[in-house]
Short mmCIF file of all heavy atoms in Angstrom, two decimals:
data_model
loop_
_atom_site.label_atom_id
_atom_site.label_comp_id
_atom_site.label_asym_id
_atom_site.label_seq_id
_atom_site.Cartn_x
_atom_site.Cartn_y
_atom_site.Cartn_z
N MET A 1 -6.65 -112.75 53.26
CA MET A 1 -5.57 -111.78 53.33
C MET A 1 -4.59 -111.97 52.18
O MET A 1 -4.16 -111.01 51.56
CB MET A 1 -4.89 -111.92 54.69
CG MET A 1 -3.88 -110.87 54.94
SD MET A 1 -4.71 -109.29 55.06
CE MET A 1 -3.50 -108.35 55.87
N HIS A 2 -4.25 -113.23 51.92
CA HIS A 2 -3.31 -113.51 50.84
C HIS A 2 -3.90 -113.12 49.48
O HIS A 2 -3.18 -112.65 48.60
CB HIS A 2 -2.92 -114.99 50.83
CG HIS A 2 -2.17 -115.41 52.06
ND1 HIS A 2 -0.90 -114.97 52.29
CD2 HIS A 2 -2.52 -116.19 53.10
CE1 HIS A 2 -0.49 -115.48 53.44
NE2 HIS A 2 -1.44 -116.22 53.97
N GLU A 3 -5.20 -113.30 49.36
CA GLU A 3 -5.87 -112.95 48.10
C GLU A 3 -5.80 -111.44 47.86
O GLU A 3 -5.63 -110.99 46.71
CB GLU A 3 -7.33 -113.41 48.13
CG GLU A 3 -8.06 -113.19 46.82
CD GLU A 3 -7.45 -113.97 45.67
OE1 GLU A 3 -6.90 -115.06 45.88
OE2 GLU A 3 -7.52 -113.44 44.54
N THR A 4 -5.85 -110.64 48.91
CA THR A 4 -5.76 -109.18 48.78
C THR A 4 -4.40 -108.79 48.21
O THR A 4 -4.31 -107.99 47.28
CB THR A 4 -5.98 -108.51 50.14
OG1 THR A 4 -7.25 -108.89 50.65
CG2 THR A 4 -5.91 -106.99 50.01
N TYR A 5 -3.34 -109.37 48.77
CA TYR A 5 -1.99 -109.05 48.28
C TYR A 5 -1.78 -109.56 46.86
O TYR A 5 -1.12 -108.92 46.05
CB TYR A 5 -0.93 -109.63 49.22
CG TYR A 5 -0.81 -108.85 50.50
CD1 TYR A 5 -1.18 -109.41 51.71
CD2 TYR A 5 -0.37 -107.53 50.49
CE1 TYR A 5 -1.09 -108.69 52.89
CE2 TYR A 5 -0.27 -106.80 51.66
CZ TYR A 5 -0.63 -107.39 52.86
OH TYR A 5 -0.55 -106.67 54.01
N ARG A 6 -2.35 -110.70 46.54
CA ARG A 6 -2.25 -111.24 45.18
C ARG A 6 -2.93 -110.30 44.20
O ARG A 6 -2.40 -109.98 43.13
CB ARG A 6 -2.87 -112.64 45.13
CG ARG A 6 -2.63 -113.33 43.80
CD ARG A 6 -3.17 -114.75 43.77
NE ARG A 6 -2.59 -115.54 44.86
CZ ARG A 6 -3.30 -116.27 45.73
NH1 ARG A 6 -4.62 -116.32 45.63
NH2 ARG A 6 -2.73 -116.95 46.68
N MET A 7 -4.11 -109.79 44.58
CA MET A 7 -4.85 -108.87 43.72
C MET A 7 -4.07 -107.56 43.55
O MET A 7 -3.96 -107.03 42.43
CB MET A 7 -6.22 -108.58 44.31
CG MET A 7 -7.08 -107.66 43.47
SD MET A 7 -8.67 -107.30 44.22
CE MET A 7 -8.16 -106.37 45.64
N LEU A 8 -3.51 -107.02 44.64
CA LEU A 8 -2.73 -105.80 44.55
C LEU A 8 -1.48 -106.01 43.69
O LEU A 8 -1.08 -105.13 42.93
CB LEU A 8 -2.33 -105.32 45.95
CG LEU A 8 -3.46 -104.77 46.81
CD1 LEU A 8 -2.97 -104.49 48.22
CD2 LEU A 8 -4.03 -103.52 46.19
N GLY A 9 -0.86 -107.17 43.80
CA GLY A 9 0.31 -107.48 42.97
C GLY A 9 -0.04 -107.51 41.49
O GLY A 9 0.70 -107.01 40.65
N LYS A 10 -1.20 -108.10 41.16
CA LYS A 10 -1.63 -108.14 39.77
C LYS A 10 -1.91 -106.74 39.24
O LYS A 10 -1.56 -106.41 38.10
CB LYS A 10 -2.88 -109.01 39.62
CG LYS A 10 -2.60 -110.48 39.74
CD LYS A 10 -3.87 -111.29 39.56
CE LYS A 10 -3.61 -112.77 39.71
NZ LYS A 10 -4.84 -113.55 39.54
N GLN A 11 -2.54 -105.90 40.06
CA GLN A 11 -2.80 -104.52 39.65
C GLN A 11 -1.50 -103.76 39.44
O GLN A 11 -1.37 -102.99 38.48
CB GLN A 11 -3.66 -103.81 40.68
CG GLN A 11 -5.09 -104.27 40.71
CD GLN A 11 -5.89 -103.59 41.81
OE1 GLN A 11 -5.32 -102.87 42.63
NE2 GLN A 11 -7.20 -103.82 41.82
N HIS A 12 -0.54 -104.00 40.31
CA HIS A 12 0.75 -103.31 40.19
C HIS A 12 1.47 -103.75 38.91
O HIS A 12 2.04 -102.92 38.19
CB HIS A 12 1.61 -103.61 41.42
CG HIS A 12 2.92 -102.90 41.41
ND1 HIS A 12 3.02 -101.52 41.49
CD2 HIS A 12 4.20 -103.36 41.33
CE1 HIS A 12 4.29 -101.17 41.45
NE2 HIS A 12 5.02 -102.27 41.36
N GLU A 13 1.43 -105.06 38.62
CA GLU A 13 2.04 -105.54 37.38
C GLU A 13 1.36 -104.94 36.16
O GLU A 13 2.03 -104.58 35.18
CB GLU A 13 1.98 -107.07 37.33
CG GLU A 13 2.96 -107.75 38.25
CD GLU A 13 2.87 -109.26 38.16
OE1 GLU A 13 2.19 -109.77 37.24
OE2 GLU A 13 3.48 -109.93 39.01
N ALA A 14 0.05 -104.83 36.20
CA ALA A 14 -0.68 -104.23 35.08
C ALA A 14 -0.29 -102.76 34.91
O ALA A 14 -0.12 -102.29 33.78
CB ALA A 14 -2.19 -104.37 35.29
N ASP A 15 -0.14 -102.05 36.04
CA ASP A 15 0.30 -100.65 35.97
C ASP A 15 1.68 -100.55 35.34
O ASP A 15 1.94 -99.67 34.51
CB ASP A 15 0.32 -100.02 37.36
CG ASP A 15 -1.07 -99.81 37.94
OD1 ASP A 15 -2.04 -99.82 37.15
OD2 ASP A 15 -1.17 -99.65 39.18
N LEU A 16 2.60 -101.42 35.74
CA LEU A 16 3.95 -101.41 35.18
C LEU A 16 3.94 -101.72 33.68
O LEU A 16 4.68 -101.10 32.91
CB LEU A 16 4.84 -102.40 35.93
CG LEU A 16 5.17 -102.05 37.38
CD1 LEU A 16 5.96 -103.18 38.02
CD2 LEU A 16 5.95 -100.75 37.45
N GLU A 17 3.10 -102.66 33.28
CA GLU A 17 3.01 -102.99 31.85
C GLU A 17 2.46 -101.81 31.05
O GLU A 17 2.95 -101.52 29.96
CB GLU A 17 2.12 -104.22 31.66
CG GLU A 17 2.78 -105.51 32.10
CD GLU A 17 1.85 -106.70 31.96
OE1 GLU A 17 0.79 -106.57 31.29
OE2 GLU A 17 2.18 -107.75 32.53
N ARG A 18 1.44 -101.11 31.58
CA ARG A 18 0.90 -99.94 30.88
C ARG A 18 1.96 -98.84 30.77
O ARG A 18 2.10 -98.21 29.72
CB ARG A 18 -0.32 -99.40 31.63
CG ARG A 18 -1.60 -100.11 31.30
CD ARG A 18 -2.80 -99.34 31.82
NE ARG A 18 -2.82 -99.26 33.28
CZ ARG A 18 -3.35 -100.16 34.09
NH1 ARG A 18 -3.92 -101.22 33.57
NH2 ARG A 18 -3.33 -100.00 35.40
N GLU A 19 2.71 -98.63 31.84
CA GLU A 19 3.75 -97.61 31.80
C GLU A 19 4.85 -97.99 30.81
O GLU A 19 5.32 -97.13 30.05
CB GLU A 19 4.35 -97.43 33.20
CG GLU A 19 5.26 -96.25 33.31
CD GLU A 19 5.69 -96.00 34.75
OE1 GLU A 19 5.12 -96.58 35.67
OE2 GLU A 19 6.62 -95.19 34.91
N ALA A 20 5.24 -99.25 30.78
CA ALA A 20 6.26 -99.70 29.82
C ALA A 20 5.76 -99.52 28.39
O ALA A 20 6.52 -99.09 27.51
CB ALA A 20 6.62 -101.15 30.09
N ARG A 21 4.48 -99.83 28.15
CA ARG A 21 3.92 -99.66 26.81
C ARG A 21 3.90 -98.19 26.41
O ARG A 21 4.22 -97.83 25.28
CB ARG A 21 2.50 -100.24 26.79
CG ARG A 21 1.93 -100.39 25.41
CD ARG A 21 0.58 -101.11 25.38
NE ARG A 21 0.40 -102.04 26.47
CZ ARG A 21 -0.64 -101.99 27.33
NH1 ARG A 21 -1.57 -101.07 27.20
NH2 ARG A 21 -0.76 -102.87 28.30
N LYS A 22 3.58 -97.32 27.37
CA LYS A 22 3.55 -95.88 27.09
C LYS A 22 4.94 -95.38 26.71
O LYS A 22 5.11 -94.65 25.73
CB LYS A 22 3.04 -95.14 28.33
CG LYS A 22 2.99 -93.64 28.17
CD LYS A 22 2.42 -92.97 29.40
CE LYS A 22 3.40 -93.07 30.54
NZ LYS A 22 3.00 -92.32 31.73
N PHE A 23 5.97 -95.81 27.47
CA PHE A 23 7.33 -95.38 27.16
C PHE A 23 7.82 -95.97 25.84
O PHE A 23 8.55 -95.32 25.09
CB PHE A 23 8.29 -95.75 28.29
CG PHE A 23 8.18 -94.84 29.47
CD1 PHE A 23 7.80 -95.32 30.70
CD2 PHE A 23 8.46 -93.48 29.36
CE1 PHE A 23 7.69 -94.49 31.79
CE2 PHE A 23 8.36 -92.63 30.45
CZ PHE A 23 7.97 -93.14 31.67
N HIS A 24 7.39 -97.18 25.54
CA HIS A 24 7.78 -97.80 24.27
C HIS A 24 7.18 -97.03 23.09
O HIS A 24 7.85 -96.77 22.09
CB HIS A 24 7.34 -99.26 24.24
CG HIS A 24 7.68 -99.97 22.99
ND1 HIS A 24 8.98 -100.31 22.67
CD2 HIS A 24 6.92 -100.39 21.96
CE1 HIS A 24 8.98 -100.92 21.49
NE2 HIS A 24 7.74 -100.97 21.04
N LEU A 25 5.91 -96.64 23.21
CA LEU A 25 5.27 -95.87 22.15
C LEU A 25 5.91 -94.48 22.02
O LEU A 25 6.11 -93.99 20.91
CB LEU A 25 3.78 -95.73 22.42
CG LEU A 25 2.94 -96.99 22.23
CD1 LEU A 25 1.51 -96.74 22.70
CD2 LEU A 25 2.97 -97.43 20.78
N ALA A 26 6.25 -93.87 23.14
CA ALA A 26 6.89 -92.56 23.10
C ALA A 26 8.26 -92.64 22.44
O ALA A 26 8.65 -91.76 21.67
CB ALA A 26 7.02 -91.98 24.50
N ALA A 27 8.99 -93.72 22.70
CA ALA A 27 10.31 -93.89 22.08
C ALA A 27 10.18 -94.10 20.57
O ALA A 27 11.02 -93.64 19.81
CB ALA A 27 11.04 -95.07 22.72
N ALA A 28 9.11 -94.75 20.15
CA ALA A 28 8.91 -94.96 18.71
C ALA A 28 8.59 -93.65 18.01
O ALA A 28 8.94 -93.47 16.84
CB ALA A 28 7.79 -95.97 18.49
N LEU A 29 7.94 -92.73 18.69
CA LEU A 29 7.57 -91.45 18.08
C LEU A 29 8.69 -90.42 18.15
O LEU A 29 8.67 -89.44 17.42
CB LEU A 29 6.32 -90.89 18.75
CG LEU A 29 5.05 -91.70 18.56
CD1 LEU A 29 3.91 -91.10 19.35
CD2 LEU A 29 4.68 -91.77 17.09
N ARG A 30 9.64 -90.62 19.05
CA ARG A 30 10.73 -89.67 19.23
C ARG A 30 11.63 -89.69 17.99
O ARG A 30 11.93 -90.77 17.45
CB ARG A 30 11.54 -90.06 20.47
CG ARG A 30 12.52 -89.02 20.91
CD ARG A 30 13.19 -89.40 22.22
NE ARG A 30 12.21 -89.66 23.27
CZ ARG A 30 12.15 -90.78 23.98
NH1 ARG A 30 13.01 -91.74 23.76
NH2 ARG A 30 11.25 -90.94 24.91
N PRO A 31 12.07 -88.52 17.51
CA PRO A 31 12.94 -88.51 16.34
C PRO A 31 14.28 -89.20 16.66
O PRO A 31 14.78 -89.12 17.79
CB PRO A 31 13.15 -87.03 16.04
CG PRO A 31 12.79 -86.32 17.29
CD PRO A 31 11.80 -87.18 18.01
N SER A 32 14.85 -89.86 15.66
CA SER A 32 16.07 -90.61 15.90
C SER A 32 17.33 -89.79 15.64
O SER A 32 18.43 -90.29 15.79
CB SER A 32 16.10 -91.85 15.00
OG SER A 32 16.06 -91.44 13.65
N GLY A 33 17.17 -88.53 15.24
CA GLY A 33 18.32 -87.68 14.96
C GLY A 33 19.00 -87.21 16.23
O GLY A 33 18.66 -87.62 17.34
N PRO A 34 19.98 -86.34 16.06
CA PRO A 34 20.68 -85.83 17.25
C PRO A 34 19.74 -85.00 18.13
O PRO A 34 18.76 -84.44 17.66
CB PRO A 34 21.80 -84.96 16.69
CG PRO A 34 21.34 -84.60 15.32
CD PRO A 34 20.49 -85.75 14.84
N ALA A 35 20.05 -84.96 19.41
CA ALA A 35 19.22 -84.23 20.35
C ALA A 35 19.28 -82.73 20.05
O ALA A 35 20.32 -82.22 19.62
CB ALA A 35 19.70 -84.49 21.77
N PRO A 36 18.19 -82.03 20.26
CA PRO A 36 18.20 -80.58 20.02
C PRO A 36 19.12 -79.89 21.03
O PRO A 36 19.33 -80.40 22.13
CB PRO A 36 16.75 -80.17 20.21
CG PRO A 36 16.16 -81.23 21.07
CD PRO A 36 16.89 -82.49 20.74
N PRO A 37 19.66 -78.75 20.69
CA PRO A 37 20.54 -78.04 21.63
C PRO A 37 19.75 -77.59 22.85
O PRO A 37 18.54 -77.35 22.77
CB PRO A 37 21.04 -76.84 20.82
CG PRO A 37 20.03 -76.65 19.76
CD PRO A 37 19.47 -78.01 19.45
N PRO A 38 20.42 -77.50 23.98
CA PRO A 38 19.70 -77.06 25.19
C PRO A 38 19.23 -75.62 25.04
O PRO A 38 19.82 -74.84 24.28
CB PRO A 38 20.75 -77.18 26.29
CG PRO A 38 22.06 -77.15 25.59
CD PRO A 38 21.83 -77.73 24.22
N PRO A 39 18.19 -75.24 25.75
CA PRO A 39 17.69 -73.86 25.63
C PRO A 39 18.74 -72.87 26.14
O PRO A 39 19.52 -73.18 27.04
CB PRO A 39 16.45 -73.84 26.51
CG PRO A 39 16.58 -75.01 27.40
CD PRO A 39 17.41 -76.02 26.68
N ARG A 40 18.72 -71.69 25.55
CA ARG A 40 19.70 -70.67 25.94
C ARG A 40 19.41 -70.15 27.33
O ARG A 40 18.27 -70.00 27.71
CB ARG A 40 19.67 -69.52 24.95
CG ARG A 40 20.19 -69.93 23.58
CD ARG A 40 20.22 -68.75 22.67
NE ARG A 40 20.98 -67.66 23.28
CZ ARG A 40 22.02 -67.09 22.73
NH1 ARG A 40 22.42 -67.48 21.57
NH2 ARG A 40 22.64 -66.11 23.34
N VAL A 41 20.46 -69.87 28.03
CA VAL A 41 20.32 -69.30 29.37
C VAL A 41 19.99 -67.82 29.21
O VAL A 41 20.43 -67.16 28.28
CB VAL A 41 21.63 -69.48 30.16
CG1 VAL A 41 21.54 -68.86 31.53
CG2 VAL A 41 22.00 -70.94 30.25
N ALA A 42 19.20 -67.30 30.11
CA ALA A 42 18.81 -65.90 30.04
C ALA A 42 20.05 -65.00 30.03
O ALA A 42 21.09 -65.34 30.58
CB ALA A 42 17.93 -65.55 31.23
N ALA A 43 19.92 -63.87 29.40
CA ALA A 43 21.05 -62.94 29.29
C ALA A 43 21.48 -62.48 30.69
O ALA A 43 20.69 -62.47 31.64
CB ALA A 43 20.63 -61.73 28.46
N LYS A 44 22.73 -62.09 30.80
CA LYS A 44 23.24 -61.63 32.09
C LYS A 44 22.53 -60.34 32.50
O LYS A 44 22.11 -59.55 31.66
CB LYS A 44 24.74 -61.37 32.00
CG LYS A 44 25.55 -62.61 31.84
CD LYS A 44 27.03 -62.27 31.86
CE LYS A 44 27.87 -63.51 31.74
NZ LYS A 44 29.30 -63.20 31.78
N ILE A 45 22.41 -60.15 33.79
CA ILE A 45 21.80 -58.94 34.32
C ILE A 45 22.83 -57.81 34.23
O ILE A 45 23.99 -57.99 34.61
CB ILE A 45 21.36 -59.15 35.78
CG1 ILE A 45 20.32 -60.26 35.85
CG2 ILE A 45 20.82 -57.88 36.38
CD1 ILE A 45 19.94 -60.64 37.26
N SER A 46 22.40 -56.67 33.74
CA SER A 46 23.32 -55.55 33.59
C SER A 46 23.74 -55.03 34.96
O SER A 46 23.06 -55.23 35.96
CB SER A 46 22.67 -54.43 32.77
OG SER A 46 21.64 -53.82 33.54
N ARG A 47 24.87 -54.32 34.99
CA ARG A 47 25.36 -53.76 36.25
C ARG A 47 24.37 -52.75 36.82
O ARG A 47 24.18 -52.67 38.02
CB ARG A 47 26.70 -53.07 36.03
CG ARG A 47 27.84 -54.03 35.84
CD ARG A 47 29.13 -53.24 35.67
NE ARG A 47 30.22 -54.15 35.42
CZ ARG A 47 31.19 -54.38 36.29
NH1 ARG A 47 31.18 -53.77 37.45
NH2 ARG A 47 32.15 -55.22 36.00
N ARG A 48 23.72 -52.00 35.95
CA ARG A 48 22.76 -51.00 36.41
C ARG A 48 21.59 -51.67 37.12
O ARG A 48 21.16 -51.26 38.20
CB ARG A 48 22.28 -50.18 35.22
CG ARG A 48 21.34 -49.09 35.59
CD ARG A 48 20.98 -48.27 34.38
NE ARG A 48 20.06 -47.20 34.75
CZ ARG A 48 19.48 -46.42 33.92
NH1 ARG A 48 19.72 -46.55 32.63
NH2 ARG A 48 18.66 -45.49 34.32
N THR A 49 21.07 -52.74 36.51
CA THR A 49 19.96 -53.46 37.11
C THR A 49 20.39 -54.10 38.42
O THR A 49 19.67 -54.07 39.42
CB THR A 49 19.44 -54.54 36.15
OG1 THR A 49 19.09 -53.92 34.92
CG2 THR A 49 18.25 -55.27 36.71
N TRP A 50 21.59 -54.69 38.43
CA TRP A 50 22.10 -55.33 39.63
C TRP A 50 22.26 -54.31 40.76
O TRP A 50 21.91 -54.59 41.91
CB TRP A 50 23.42 -56.01 39.32
CG TRP A 50 23.95 -56.82 40.46
CD1 TRP A 50 25.05 -56.56 41.19
CD2 TRP A 50 23.38 -58.00 41.01
NE1 TRP A 50 25.23 -57.50 42.15
CE2 TRP A 50 24.20 -58.41 42.07
CE3 TRP A 50 22.26 -58.76 40.72
CZ2 TRP A 50 23.94 -59.53 42.84
CZ3 TRP A 50 22.00 -59.90 41.48
CH2 TRP A 50 22.84 -60.26 42.52
N GLY A 51 22.75 -53.13 40.44
CA GLY A 51 22.89 -52.09 41.44
C GLY A 51 21.55 -51.67 42.00
O GLY A 51 21.41 -51.43 43.21
N PHE A 52 20.55 -51.55 41.13
CA PHE A 52 19.21 -51.18 41.57
C PHE A 52 18.65 -52.24 42.52
O PHE A 52 18.09 -51.92 43.57
CB PHE A 52 18.29 -51.01 40.36
CG PHE A 52 16.87 -50.72 40.73
CD1 PHE A 52 16.49 -49.48 41.19
CD2 PHE A 52 15.90 -51.71 40.64
CE1 PHE A 52 15.18 -49.21 41.53
CE2 PHE A 52 14.59 -51.46 40.98
CZ PHE A 52 14.22 -50.21 41.43
N VAL A 53 18.82 -53.50 42.16
CA VAL A 53 18.30 -54.59 43.00
C VAL A 53 18.98 -54.57 44.36
O VAL A 53 18.33 -54.69 45.40
CB VAL A 53 18.50 -55.95 42.29
CG1 VAL A 53 18.21 -57.11 43.23
CG2 VAL A 53 17.63 -56.04 41.05
N CYS A 54 20.31 -54.41 44.38
CA CYS A 54 21.04 -54.37 45.65
C CYS A 54 20.59 -53.19 46.51
O CYS A 54 20.43 -53.33 47.72
CB CYS A 54 22.54 -54.31 45.39
SG CYS A 54 23.20 -55.85 44.74
N SER A 55 20.39 -52.03 45.90
CA SER A 55 19.96 -50.86 46.68
C SER A 55 18.56 -51.07 47.25
O SER A 55 18.28 -50.67 48.37
CB SER A 55 20.01 -49.60 45.83
OG SER A 55 19.05 -49.66 44.80
N ARG A 56 17.68 -51.71 46.48
CA ARG A 56 16.33 -51.97 46.98
C ARG A 56 16.35 -52.98 48.12
O ARG A 56 15.62 -52.85 49.09
CB ARG A 56 15.41 -52.49 45.85
CG ARG A 56 15.18 -51.50 44.71
CD ARG A 56 14.77 -50.12 45.14
NE ARG A 56 13.56 -50.13 45.93
CZ ARG A 56 13.17 -49.14 46.72
NH1 ARG A 56 13.89 -48.06 46.82
NH2 ARG A 56 12.06 -49.22 47.41
N LEU A 57 17.22 -53.98 48.02
CA LEU A 57 17.34 -54.95 49.10
C LEU A 57 17.90 -54.31 50.36
O LEU A 57 17.46 -54.59 51.47
CB LEU A 57 18.21 -56.14 48.67
CG LEU A 57 17.56 -57.13 47.72
CD1 LEU A 57 18.59 -58.14 47.24
CD2 LEU A 57 16.40 -57.84 48.39
N ALA A 58 18.88 -53.44 50.19
CA ALA A 58 19.47 -52.73 51.33
C ALA A 58 18.40 -51.88 52.01
O ALA A 58 18.32 -51.80 53.24
CB ALA A 58 20.64 -51.90 50.88
N ALA A 59 17.57 -51.20 51.21
CA ALA A 59 16.51 -50.37 51.77
C ALA A 59 15.46 -51.22 52.49
O ALA A 59 14.90 -50.81 53.52
CB ALA A 59 15.86 -49.55 50.68
N LEU A 60 15.25 -52.40 51.99
CA LEU A 60 14.25 -53.29 52.59
C LEU A 60 14.70 -53.74 53.99
O LEU A 60 13.88 -53.85 54.90
CB LEU A 60 14.04 -54.49 51.69
CG LEU A 60 13.06 -55.56 52.18
CD1 LEU A 60 11.65 -55.00 52.20
CD2 LEU A 60 13.14 -56.78 51.30
N PHE A 61 15.98 -54.01 54.15
CA PHE A 61 16.48 -54.56 55.40
C PHE A 61 16.92 -53.49 56.40
O PHE A 61 17.49 -53.81 57.44
CB PHE A 61 17.63 -55.53 55.13
CG PHE A 61 17.15 -56.80 54.49
CD1 PHE A 61 17.51 -57.11 53.19
CD2 PHE A 61 16.30 -57.65 55.17
CE1 PHE A 61 17.07 -58.28 52.59
CE2 PHE A 61 15.85 -58.82 54.58
CZ PHE A 61 16.23 -59.14 53.28
N ARG A 62 16.70 -52.23 56.12
CA ARG A 62 17.06 -51.16 57.08
C ARG A 62 16.11 -51.15 58.24
O ARG A 62 15.02 -51.48 58.24
CB ARG A 62 17.03 -49.79 56.40
CG ARG A 62 18.24 -49.58 55.58
CD ARG A 62 18.28 -48.15 55.14
NE ARG A 62 19.18 -48.10 54.00
CZ ARG A 62 19.32 -47.07 53.22
NH1 ARG A 62 18.60 -46.00 53.41
NH2 ARG A 62 20.13 -47.10 52.23
#
């Protein structure tokens, strides 16, 4: 029983080491300059579109 937990512990440590190596390699490839700006938020919905959506919802719930 103890050998099973010892084996699982070794596998878990190996998994953690692989994950750490992966993140280390990714950090080395990441550009060191400033972070890119966040993506733009979608444009606001026009009043006409908003009115249409509200009227369709009202019709749905009648």
Side-chain angles (χ1 to χ4, degrees):
M1 187 66 162
H2 295 291
E3 185 62 31
T4 302
Y5 286 113
R6 187 176 304 129
M7 182 182 66
L8 289 173
K10 287 181 181 180
Q11 288 177 353
H12 183 65
E13 286 181 11
D15 291 341
L16 292 175
E17 287 177 14
R18 277 193 296 273
E19 190 172 348
R21 193 173 332 124
K22 179 178 71 173
F23 283 118
H24 180 71
L25 288 173
L29 295 176
R30 192 174 304 126
S32 60
R40 292 183 54 123
V41 178
K44 290 184 178 181
I45 299 174
S46 71
R47 286 182 183 250
R48 183 176 180 187
T49 304
W50 186 247
F52 176 75
V53 170
C54 289
S55 67
R56 297 310 302 161
L57 286 172
L60 178 68
F61 289 113
R62 282 190 199 169

